[in-house]
Amino acid sequence: MRQLKGIKILLVDDEPHILEFLELGLTNEGFEVMTAQDGISAITACNKFQPHIAILDVMMPGMDGFEVCRMIKKTDNVAVIMLTAKDEIDDRVKGLTLGADDYMIKPFSFEELLARIYARIRNHFPNLFGEVIIGPLRMDDRRKEISMHDRILELSPTEYELLKFMAINHGLVLSKTMILDKVWGYDFGGEENIVEVYIRSLRDKLGDKEHKLIRTIRGAGYRMDLT
């Protein structure tokens, strides 16, 4: 995906070496970056900096990441990615309940964080994009069109949303439950096998007979490989 100028990211972590590493990497990607090492500083920075994305560590002295998330989500149109060293379901549920948009468990790869950042930007700030090119796909959300090698794909509205969701999260394993939540909605009352039906249809329309673009990860879900 091409770089976007003017995208601002707030990094909040009480470990200086993590801040330094992420700040360097994200700055090299073309983002504007501001850092904070505690919750109070994060709130002040958010009000001043007006970031598009806030990446919040959960465990911080004083005001933790949950409280920071709750406060900034009250007033700001900011996407929140929470970081934690604990792989506990209760923490994830709490963060999502308070408005977090994504969750990552330490340690993580920079490439995965970058993919999730672009996914959040794509979902929260679609007007920042004209056409988005990822690998062989060109997505135009204004026209609701996706083309592959300059050939417009004939997609139903649901196929369009599914392919877009998988493309902007390419390289990540997406479970059937996650796909249902993001494409069909949390109140979807149907069966999970509907995902298999739509994946099969997308593979046909993409000419993906060998499943090299949309891979089935046994026991985990699907991963789209575009680069």
Side-chain angles (χ1 to χ4, degrees):
M1 184 178 292
R2 69 189 183 202
Q3 296 176 356
L4 296 174
K5 294 182 179 180
I7 298 297
K8 297 186 286 188
I9 297 179
L10 173 64
L11 297 173
V12 187
D13 200 302
D14 62 341
E15 298 185 51
H17 69 282
I18 292 180
L19 282 183
E20 182 179 354
F21 169 73
L22 294 180
E23 181 179 15
L24 178 61
L26 293 174
T27 299
N28 287 339
E29 290 293 325
F31 297 107
E32 296 181 30
V33 180
M34 179 175 283
T35 64
Q37 292 188 348
D38 60 75
I40 299 297
S41 298
I43 297 297
T44 301
C46 199
N47 291 334
K48 177 181 179 181
F49 188 50
Q50 295 291 300
H52 296 89
I53 307 286
I55 300 174
L56 308 177
D57 185 38
V58 168
M59 302 301 293
M60 293 185 293
M63 183 185 294
D64 63 19
F66 293 129
E67 182 64 13
V68 175
C69 177
R70 185 186 68 82
M71 292 185 68
I72 66 177
K73 278 292 189 176
K74 280 184 176 181
T75 57
D76 294 319
N77 181 27
V78 54
V80 172
I81 301 174
M82 303 201 74
L83 309 178
T84 182
K86 298 190 299 182
D87 187 7
E88 295 185 3
I89 293 177
D90 287 347
D91 275 355
R92 299 189 210 180
V93 171
K94 183 176 180 180
L96 294 171
T97 300
L98 291 171
D101 301 283
D102 207 346
Y103 219 100
M104 294 189 67
I105 307 299
K106 296 179 179 178
F108 52 83
S109 71
F110 179 76
E111 289 74 18
E112 181 180 357
L113 176 63
L114 193 62
R116 291 177 182 267
I117 287 171
Y118 275 121
R120 300 284 69 76
I121 296 171
R122 187 68 186 83
N123 288 338
H124 279 74
F125 308 101
N127 291 334
L128 295 175
F129 294 87
E131 291 184 337
V132 179
I133 300 173
I134 308 176
L137 299 181
R138 182 187 297 268
M139 300 188 294
D140 188 336
D141 209 35
R142 295 168 298 184
R143 293 178 176 270
K144 300 297 181 183
E145 289 181 349
I146 299 177
S147 59
M148 182 174 180
H149 301 307
D150 296 325
R151 177 179 63 88
I152 296 176
L153 302 173
E154 296 296 331
L155 303 173
S156 71
T158 301
E159 287 172 340
Y160 172 84
E161 293 298 332
L162 175 58
L163 182 55
K164 181 179 73 170
F165 176 65
M166 298 191 74
I168 64 180
N169 289 284
H170 71 98
L172 304 180
V173 177
L174 306 173
S175 69
K176 290 182 181 179
T177 300
M178 182 184 300
I179 292 172
L180 285 171
D181 287 346
K182 297 298 184 180
V183 177
W184 277 267
Y186 288 100
D187 58 350
F188 176 73
E191 299 294 329
E192 282 192 355
N193 63 7
I194 194 172
V195 176
E196 298 176 17
V197 173
Y198 274 82
I199 291 291
R200 189 180 308 120
S201 178
L202 284 184
R203 283 170 169 160
D204 288 342
K205 294 183 177 184
L206 292 167
D208 186 24
K209 295 181 180 180
E210 298 181 359
H211 302 179
K212 291 184 177 180
L213 288 176
I214 302 178
R215 298 184 181 273
T216 299
I217 309 301
R218 189 176 300 275
Y222 302 96
R223 186 186 73 229
M224 194 162 202
D225 293 336
L226 292 175
T227 57

